[in-house]
Amino acid sequence: MKKRNLLFIAPLFFGYYKEIIAELEKKNYKVDYVCDSPSNSNVFKAINRISKNLTKIKNKKYYENSILPNIINKKYDIVFVIVGMTFSIPIEMFEELRKRNNSAKFIMYQWDGEKNIEYVKKYHKYFDRI
């Protein structure tokens, strides 16, 4: 059976992403992992939680220089995103991913309630399932 391509975007939170990747690979997915934030430092995470605008430039550079070059020419069957407090991926990335992967299923799982991560609502329109 042919492996399906899956883009997995998630936080580094306690290394859970590694366990999730291992399970997805057992289910015959080829997984490309992207960390949801350009920095795992406590200072960056605190600033990012206070205001996404304060980290906007660093987030955009992370997307343009570290993420986009690695995924731009790939086709995915599934884009699976786990959203938590550290989520920093620019909305432009999802616009671009949708254009390039129009037949892919986009799935979002939220670790936190929307009262804690209200900014995530603007991303909902890019996902087939939340």
Side-chain angles (χ1 to χ4, degrees), residues 6-7 30-35 62-76 93 97 100:
L6 186 143
L7 177 61
K30 182 190 174 306
V31 179
D32 288 337
Y33 170 73
V34 171
C35 182
Y62 174 58
Y63 161 66
E64 290 173 346
N65 300 328
S66 298
I67 298 174
L68 193 59
N70 294 317
I71 64 171
I72 194 74
N73 293 317
K74 295 184 180 180
K75 289 288 184 195
Y76 294 101
M93 179 174 151
L97 278 171
R100 294 178 177 275

Side-chain angles (χ1 to χ4, degrees), residues 75-86:
K75 289 288 184 195
Y76 294 101
D77 299 297
I78 297 176
V79 176
F80 176 42
V81 180
I82 295 179
V83 176
M85 296 291 283
T86 60

Side-chain angles (χ1 to χ4, degrees), residues 22-34:
E23 287 300 315
L24 289 167
E25 288 174 340
K26 285 181 190 175
K27 296 191 182 306
N28 210 31
Y29 287 99
K30 182 190 174 306
V31 179
D32 288 337
Y33 170 73
V34 171

Side-chain angles (χ1 to χ4, degrees), residues 1-127:
M1 187 162 64
K2 183 183 175 207
K3 284 192 179 230
R4 293 175 37 171
N5 293 319
L6 186 143
L7 177 61
F8 178 43
I9 302 169
L12 293 173
F13 191 72
F14 294 112
Y16 290 149
Y17 75 98
K18 292 177 187 175
E19 298 295 326
I20 295 168
I21 290 169
E23 287 300 315
L24 289 167
E25 288 174 340
K26 285 181 190 175
K27 296 191 182 306
N28 210 31
Y29 287 99
K30 182 190 174 306
V31 179
D32 288 337
Y33 170 73
V34 171
C35 182
D36 73 339
S37 178
S39 175
N40 199 34
S41 79
N42 290 334
V43 172
F44 181 85
K45 286 192 272 187
I47 293 169
N48 196 43
R49 285 180 190 165
I50 292 167
S51 173
K52 297 286 183 203
N53 285 330
L54 295 174
T55 58
K56 194 177 203 175
I57 293 170
K58 186 166 182 153
N59 293 338
K60 189 171 169 56
K61 284 182 181 179
Y62 174 58
Y63 161 66
E64 290 173 346
N65 300 328
S66 298
I67 298 174
L68 193 59
N70 294 317
I71 64 171
I72 194 74
N73 293 317
K74 295 184 180 180
K75 289 288 184 195
Y76 294 101
D77 299 297
I78 297 176
V79 176
F80 176 42
V81 180
I82 295 179
V83 176
M85 296 291 283
T86 60
F87 188 75
S88 303
I89 305 295
I91 203 159
E92 295 85 9
M93 179 174 151
F94 292 100
E95 292 169 351
E96 188 67 27
L97 278 171
R98 265 292 187 196
K99 283 182 206 169
R100 294 178 177 275
N101 297 277
N102 57 1
S103 64
K105 281 262 191 225
F106 280 64
I107 302 166
M108 177 188 285
Y109 178 83
Q110 296 175 200
W111 271 347
D112 295 297
E114 287 188 345
K115 285 184 180 179
N116 292 332
I117 54 172
E118 281 202 31
Y119 62 87
V120 81
K121 290 178 185 177
K122 67 183 178 184
Y123 291 83
H124 285 181
K125 66 183 174 183
Y126 298 100
F127 290 85

